[in-house]
C-alpha cells in the first residue's frame, strides 16, 4: 500500500518532500492508515483531530485514542467544537455544521503551520458513495466526477485538500492496518445509523465486490477527464480522454492492441495521438531516421523507483526496461507492472 499511495501522490502531484502536510485523523481506520502511510513515506506530518462533542463519551474516547497513538510520533493539535450550538446559530443540520467547523479550522491551522496541503482519508468506497449519493439527488457531469485527488478547501483558504487514498479501497485499508502494520483503530457508532443517507448507501455498497467499487471509482476519474478536456485543463485524465475521443471511431487493430497492452503506461499529459499510432501499428514515422528520446518508467512491486531509458519508441523502451543492467536489474518475474511516467 505504501508504494501504491506514493505512486498516486507522484502521478497527481499531491505533495513535495520536505514541506509540512496537515493530516486529519479521527481515529478511524481510514485516517489512521493515511497518517501511517504518509509518515512512513517520509513526509513531515502534523496531525489535526476534531472533537465535536456529539457522541458523549465516545467522542472523548476517540480523542484519547488519537493522543495515545499519534502524539509519540507526530505533532498533534486537538480542537474542541460546540457543534450543536453552531448548528442552531447557523440554522443548519449537525452534519453540515461539523463539516463547516472542521474545514474552517483546517484552513486556519494549515496556514498557521505553513503546510503545503490538507490530507484527508477519502478512499474508493467513499468515492462510490459520493457518486450514488449525487445520482440519488440528481446531478450533471460534475456530480459524476465525485471527489478529485486535489481540490480547493470548501471553506476557503490557500491550502488545497488532497486525497492520497483514492487509489485504494476500505477493505484493503483494514487489511493493511490489521495484517501488515498491526495497528488498531476506533469505530464511530453513528455509522450504523441508516437514517443518515450516506450511511444507508454505505450499507448497500457492503454487498458490492471490490472490482465493482474500483469500477465506480474509475468512472469518476473518467468523468473528471471529460470535464478537464472540455475546459482545456492539461491533466493526465484529460490526456486519456483526448486520445480516446480522437481514435474511438477508427476501426484499426492497433487501437484494440493499444488499450489492451498500453493502457497502464498512458499517463503523459495530452498525449500525441499520432506518436502512439505509429508505435503500436508499426507504420513508418514522418522523420526518415527515428529520433531517440528518454522514457522514464516507474517500476511497481519492487523498491527500484524510477528508471530512465533511451529508445526510439515506447515498445523498444519497454523491452529495454526488462534488459536494463545498470544500477538496477529488473526481471519480468519480479515486476507486477511497469508504468510509463513521463518523457524527459
Amino acid at each position: 500500500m505504501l508504494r501504491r499511495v506514493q505512486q498516486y501522490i507522484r502521478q497527481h502531484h499531491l505533495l513535495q518532500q520536505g514541506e509540512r502536510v496537515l493530516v486529519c485523523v479521527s481515529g478511524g481506520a481510514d485516517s489512521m492508515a493515511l497518517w501511517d502511510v504518509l509518515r512512513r513515506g517520509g513526509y513531515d506530518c502534523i496531525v489535526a483531530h476534531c472533537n465535536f462533542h456529539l457522541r458523549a463519551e465516545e467522542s472523548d474516547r476517540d480523542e484519547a485514542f488519537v493522543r495515545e497513538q499519534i502524539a509519540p510520533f507526530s505533532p498533534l493539535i486537538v480542537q474542541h467544537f460546540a457543534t450543536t450550538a453552531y448548528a442552531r446559530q447557523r440554522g443548519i443540520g449537525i452534519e453540515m455544521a461539523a463539516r463547516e467547523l472542521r474545514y474552517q479550522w483546517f484552513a486556519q491551522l494549515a496556514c498557521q503551520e505553513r503546510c503545503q496541503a490538507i490530507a484527508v482519508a477519502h478512499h474508493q468506497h467513499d468515492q462510490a458513495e459520493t457518486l450514488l449519493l449525487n445520482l440519488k439527488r440528481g446531478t450533471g457531469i460534475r456530480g459524476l466526477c465525485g471527489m478529485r485527488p486535489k481540490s480547493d478547501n470548501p471553506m476557503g483558504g490557500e491550502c488545497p485538500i488532497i486525497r492520497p487514498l483514492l487509489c485504494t479501497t476500505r477493505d484493503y485499508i483494514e487489511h493493511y492496518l490489521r495484517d501488515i502494520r498491526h495497528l488498531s483503530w476506533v469505530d464511530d457508532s453513528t455509522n450504523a445509523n441508516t437514517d443518515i443517507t450516506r450511511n444507508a448507501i454505505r450499507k448497500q455498497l457492503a454487498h458490492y465486490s471490490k472490482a465493482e467499487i474500483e469500477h465506480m471509482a474509475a468512472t469518476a476519474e473518467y468523468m473528471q477527464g471529460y470535464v478537464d478536456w472540455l475546459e482545456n485543463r492539461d491533466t493526465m485524465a484529460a490526456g486519456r480522454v483526448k486520445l480516446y475521443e480522437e481514435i474511438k471511431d477508427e476501426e484499426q487493430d492497433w487501437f484494440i492492441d493499444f488499450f489492451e497492452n498500453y493502457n497502464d503506461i498512458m499517463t503523459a499529459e495530452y498525449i500525441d495521438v499520432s506518436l502512439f499510432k505509429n508505435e503500436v501499428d508499426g507504420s513508418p514515422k514522418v522523420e526518415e531516421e527515428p529520433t531517440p528520446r528518454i522514457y522514464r518508467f516507474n517500476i511497481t512491486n519492487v523498491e527500484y523507483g524510477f528508471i530512465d531509458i533511451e529508445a526510439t519508441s515506447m515498445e523498444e523502451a519497454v523491452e529495454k526496461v526488462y534488459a536494463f543492467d545498470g544500477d538496477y536489474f529488473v526481471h519480468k518475474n519480479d515486476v507486477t507492472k511497469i508504468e510509463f511516467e513521463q518523457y524527459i
Side-chain angles (χ1 to χ4, degrees):
M1 181 165 159
L2 175 60
R3 282 190 294 269
R4 181 188 303 181
V5 173
Q6 285 180 318
Q7 178 181 335
Y8 190 77
I9 288 172
R10 287 196 301 268
Q11 285 180 340
H12 294 279
H13 311 291
L14 301 184
L15 292 172
Q16 296 291 330
Q17 291 282 1
E19 297 182 36
R20 265 189 163 181
V21 54
L22 182 66
V23 186
C24 308
V25 177
S26 66
D30 310 336
S31 59
M32 289 298 293
L34 174 65
W35 166 71
D36 184 68
V37 166
L38 292 181
R39 186 172 66 91
R40 291 179 63 209
Y43 296 101
D44 184 6
C45 299
I46 179 169
V47 175
H49 175 78
C50 301
N51 188 333
F52 295 106
H53 294 281
L54 294 174
R55 293 176 287 124
E57 294 179 357
E58 195 173 281
S59 293
D60 295 331
R61 176 210 65 181
D62 293 355
E63 178 184 333
F65 173 81
V66 170
R67 288 186 183 278
E68 178 184 357
Q69 298 293 319
I70 302 292
F73 305 100
S74 296
L76 171 65
I77 301 176
V78 176
Q79 180 73 13
H80 292 250
F81 296 101
T83 314
T84 303
Y86 179 85
R88 190 182 304 114
Q89 178 186 355
R90 296 267 291 122
I92 57 178
I94 290 294
E95 292 294 322
M96 180 59 70
R99 182 174 185 271
E100 288 188 3
L101 286 169
R102 66 175 176 267
Y103 279 111
Q104 286 173 359
W105 181 54
F106 292 160
Q108 295 167 4
L109 186 58
C111 178
Q112 173 187 318
E113 298 295 331
R114 298 181 179 179
C115 295
Q116 59 177 312
I118 302 164
V120 295
H122 296 128
H123 46 69
Q124 290 181 350
H125 275 79
D126 294 320
Q127 187 74 292
E129 289 172 15
T130 301
L131 260 62
L132 291 181
L133 185 62
N134 289 344
L135 284 171
K136 284 172 68 73
R137 293 171 173 171
T139 189
I141 186 172
R142 293 184 187 279
L144 296 177
C145 291
M147 297 176 289
R148 288 179 175 266
K150 178 186 286 188
S151 62
D152 293 334
N153 188 328
M155 300 307 295
E158 297 181 359
C159 205
I161 304 295
I162 62 168
R163 302 176 176 87
L165 299 188
L166 281 181
C167 59
T168 192
T169 63
R170 179 183 291 118
D171 294 342
Y172 191 80
I173 287 171
E174 293 186 358
H175 162 68
Y176 168 80
L177 289 176
R178 181 180 57 250
D179 303 323
I180 299 176
R181 296 290 293 156
H182 308 293
L183 296 175
S184 58
W185 66 89
V186 291
D187 291 315
D188 183 344
S189 62
T190 62
N191 287 338
N193 180 9
T194 53
D195 290 337
I196 300 173
T197 305
R198 184 175 283 274
N199 290 347
I201 292 174
R202 183 176 301 142
K203 185 176 180 180
Q204 294 174 4
L205 287 174
H207 302 289
Y208 284 44
S209 69
K210 178 175 179 289
E212 289 170 330
I213 297 297
E214 290 174 339
H215 292 160
M216 294 179 71
T219 297
E221 188 172 344
Y222 296 151
M223 299 310 293
Q224 292 169 17
Y226 273 100
V227 170
D228 289 349
W229 181 51
L230 291 171
E231 295 181 350
N232 294 317
R233 296 182 185 175
D234 191 16
T235 66
M236 292 189 303
R240 292 189 181 99
V241 167
K242 179 187 177 186
L243 175 65
Y244 174 73
E245 288 295 327
E246 292 194 18
I247 65 180
K248 66 178 182 179
D249 296 325
E250 300 184 24
E251 298 179 0
Q252 298 189 35
D253 292 338
W254 74 265
F255 169 71
I256 298 175
D257 180 69
F258 178 86
F259 276 93
E260 286 182 350
N261 299 300
Y262 285 79
N263 190 45
D264 285 335
I265 61 175
M266 191 172 59
T267 57
E269 295 182 353
Y270 273 85
I271 295 165
D272 183 344
V273 177
S274 62
L275 171 67
F276 281 94
K277 281 186 183 181
N278 290 333
E279 290 181 352
V280 177
D281 71 0
S283 59
K285 292 183 179 294
V286 175
E287 56 268 41
E288 294 182 3
E289 293 293 333
T291 303
R293 65 192 310 173
I294 302 297
Y295 295 80
R296 171 165 289 180
F297 290 88
N298 179 38
I299 310 300
T300 63
N301 203 35
V302 292
E303 299 291 347
Y304 302 139
F306 293 109
I307 291 180
D308 293 341
I309 297 292
E310 181 176 357
T312 58
S313 71
M314 181 71 70
E315 184 177 9
E316 180 187 352
V318 170
E319 290 301 318
K320 282 188 174 182
V321 168
Y322 288 121
F324 188 62
D325 193 13
D327 295 332
Y328 313 104
F329 188 74
V330 181
H331 295 281
K332 288 188 178 182
N333 292 338
D334 295 335
V335 180
T336 298
K337 180 175 66 177
I338 59 172
E339 180 164 288
F340 175 61
E341 193 72 24
Q342 65 188 57
Y343 297 119
I344 303 300

